[in-house]
């Protein structure tokens, strides 16, 4: 009887011991899981601080386990990526400075050639010679525009441009963008139809440059006597500007590549270089704006600009 009683109670004690051990293991596992979660959160915060410019680590005491070895390797990778990003930024700035120096050197002979052409135009020259001089002046103008555009692209790439953020009427933006195109459109007997209202927030001079390049592209692909439609409106979410021409439209194969640098589409003009639209997109995206191109259901190409407003 005594042996039977001990045997039965021994089973209960053994069961109790196993239960306690199991509960202890569960609690220990939960505590380890919480510590690891906390450790991972701290690691994420430290890596985020490092990626956003902090120069030093604030790392806790590490044990030599798999998680900490992984953490150390990620930290090394983060440092290396930051070093490469810094070097790339320095290279971009060096390139922008170099292009600025080269363009300055090129402008001097270009100005001299401009003056020579102007003086020769005053001479009593045959008509054929005058036409040649006009062609030289036109090509000089293209070279000057190309130099300025490449310099702007280099500065945008290097991030050395500070965009102003002021509120301007869309009518003022449209007027400044259309001003350089008045002679070109008059020679082609093209008209502009505007329906503009509202304001936008951004840099007036740079945005006019972007819009002007788009209008110039539309003018070049619109036949003589055609029309360019310029509309703009504002709503609580964004300010939208739409430019539509009455040309042949954009080849569907060209649409995905239209804003790529130095891309020349199927219907590109002989004098096209392929940087005007790329420059426009760079300027606009740097100001929290978007630019896309479609073929309008009404015919012709359509460019849509949206300046998104900041939300609180």
């Amino acid at each position: 009887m005594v042996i039977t009683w001990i045997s039965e109670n021994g089973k209960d004690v053994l069961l109790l011991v196993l239960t306690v051990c199991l509960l202890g293991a569960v609690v220990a596992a939960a505590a380890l899981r919480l510590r690891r979660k906390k450790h991972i959160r701290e690691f994420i915060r430290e890596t985020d601080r490092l990626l956003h410019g902090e120069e030093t680590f604030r790392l806790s005491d590490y044990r030599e386990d798999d998680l900490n070895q992984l953490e150390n390797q990620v930290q090394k990778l983060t440092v290396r990526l930051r070093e490469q990003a810094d070097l790339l930024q320095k290279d971009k700035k060096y390139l922008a400075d170099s292009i600025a120096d080269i363009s300055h050197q090129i402008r001097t002979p270009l100005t001299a050639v401009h003056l020579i052409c102007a003086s020769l135009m005053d001479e009593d020259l045959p008509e054929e010679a005058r036409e040649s001089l006009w062609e030289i002046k036109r090509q000089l103008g293209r070279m000057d525009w190309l130099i300025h555009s490449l310099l702007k692209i280099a500065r945008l790439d290097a991030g050395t441009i500070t965009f102003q953020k002021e509120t301007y009427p869309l009518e003022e933006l449209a007027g400044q963008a259309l001003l350089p195109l008045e002679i070109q459109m008059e020679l082609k007997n093209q008209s502009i139809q505007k329906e503009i209202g509202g304001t936008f927030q951004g840099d007036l001079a740079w945005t006019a440059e972007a819009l002007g390049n788009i209008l110039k592209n539309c003018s070049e692909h619109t036949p003589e006597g055609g029309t360019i439609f310029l509309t703009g409106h504002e709503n609580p979410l964004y300010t939208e500007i739409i430019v539509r021409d009455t040309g042949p439209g954009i080849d569907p194969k060209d649409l995905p590549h239209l804003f790529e640098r130095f891309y020349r589409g199927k219907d590109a003009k002989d004098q096209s270089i392929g940087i005007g639209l790329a420059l426009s997109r760079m300027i606009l995206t740097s100001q929290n704006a978007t630019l896309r191109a479609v073929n309008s259901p009404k015919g012709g190409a359509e460019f849509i600009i949206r300046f998104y407003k900041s939300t609180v």
Side-chain angles (χ1 to χ4, degrees):
M1 293 293 293
V2 174
I3 295 173
T4 303
W5 181 86
I6 294 174
S7 176
E8 290 177 354
N9 283 274
K11 292 179 181 179
D12 294 338
V13 170
L14 180 60
L15 182 60
L16 178 61
V17 171
L18 290 175
T19 303
V20 171
C21 291
L22 181 61
L23 288 174
V26 171
V27 171
L32 178 61
R33 189 178 299 111
L34 288 174
R35 284 198 301 271
R36 287 205 167 188
K37 285 185 177 180
K38 181 181 179 182
H39 194 175
I40 291 173
R41 285 197 297 268
E42 290 176 355
F43 167 59
I44 292 172
R45 284 196 296 269
E46 290 169 0
T47 304
D48 186 65
R49 286 194 293 266
L50 184 63
L51 288 172
H52 286 81
E54 190 164 315
E55 298 294 338
T56 58
F57 300 124
R58 289 203 298 260
L59 302 179
S60 55
D61 295 329
Y62 295 131
R63 296 181 304 275
E64 291 298 327
D65 58 19
D66 292 340
L67 178 61
N68 289 298
Q69 290 178 19
L70 173 62
E71 185 173 2
N72 291 334
Q73 294 301 319
V74 173
Q75 290 285 4
K76 292 176 184 178
L77 176 61
T78 304
V79 172
R80 182 61 60 85
L81 290 174
R82 277 199 54 198
E83 289 174 350
Q84 291 180 351
D86 291 341
L87 288 174
L88 180 60
Q89 185 63 28
K90 289 178 181 178
D91 287 343
K92 286 183 176 181
K93 189 177 185 306
Y94 176 77
L95 177 62
D97 293 340
S98 299
I99 293 177
D101 293 338
I102 294 170
S103 64
H104 177 73
Q105 297 298 325
I106 293 176
R107 283 196 190 102
T108 301
L110 280 179
T111 303
V113 176
H114 271 295
L115 293 174
I116 292 171
C117 289
S119 63
L120 288 175
M121 292 294 292
D122 295 334
E123 301 291 334
D124 187 13
L125 298 175
E127 186 63 27
E128 184 177 349
R130 286 185 172 275
E131 290 179 0
S132 297
L133 283 174
W134 278 113
E135 179 62 20
I136 291 173
K137 286 180 68 67
R138 190 174 70 85
Q139 295 298 332
L140 288 172
R142 286 186 61 205
M143 291 176 62
D144 194 52
W145 178 84
L146 177 60
I147 291 169
H148 278 83
S149 298
L150 289 175
L151 178 58
K152 291 170 184 175
I153 287 176
R155 291 176 62 196
L156 286 167
D157 275 340
T160 58
I161 294 175
T162 301
F163 290 96
Q164 305 299 319
K165 192 170 183 180
E166 303 290 341
T167 301
Y168 298 96
L170 285 179
E171 184 68 37
E172 184 178 356
L173 172 64
Q176 190 163 326
L178 284 166
L179 188 61
L181 300 174
E182 289 180 349
I183 296 177
Q184 174 180 321
M185 295 182 65
E186 185 177 349
L187 290 174
K188 296 184 70 174
N189 194 29
Q190 294 173 342
S191 61
I192 180 78
Q193 290 192 14
K194 296 188 295 182
E195 186 178 343
I196 295 179
T199 63
F200 87 102
Q201 284 190 343
D203 191 297
L204 179 62
W206 280 100
T207 307
E209 169 89 15
L211 181 58
N213 287 338
I214 296 170
L215 290 165
K216 180 175 179 289
N217 181 273
C218 289
S219 175
E220 290 173 350
H221 290 85
T222 298
E224 292 191 12
T227 304
I228 296 175
F229 299 89
L230 179 59
T231 60
H233 67 275
E234 180 183 8
N235 63 40
L237 296 179
Y238 55 79
T239 297
E240 185 175 72
I241 302 171
I242 300 176
V243 182
R244 181 173 66 87
D245 61 36
T246 53
I250 305 168
D251 190 287
K253 294 181 180 179
D254 293 332
L255 273 173
H257 311 285
L258 197 62
F259 300 106
E260 293 178 5
R261 201 175 301 177
F262 302 115
Y263 179 80
R264 299 180 74 254
K266 177 182 176 182
D267 300 321
K269 305 298 181 182
D270 293 336
Q271 66 271 21
S272 174
I273 300 170
I275 61 175
L277 292 179
L279 177 59
S280 293
R281 170 170 272 189
M282 291 179 70
I283 293 171
L284 293 170
T285 54
S286 297
Q287 300 182 83
N288 194 34
T290 61
L291 170 62
R292 63 188 182 96
V294 297
N295 283 312
S296 173
K298 300 178 182 179
E302 185 172 286
F303 294 86
I304 303 167
I305 302 171
R306 284 183 177 177
F307 290 90
Y308 288 92
K309 300 180 179 180
S310 299
T311 56
V312 179

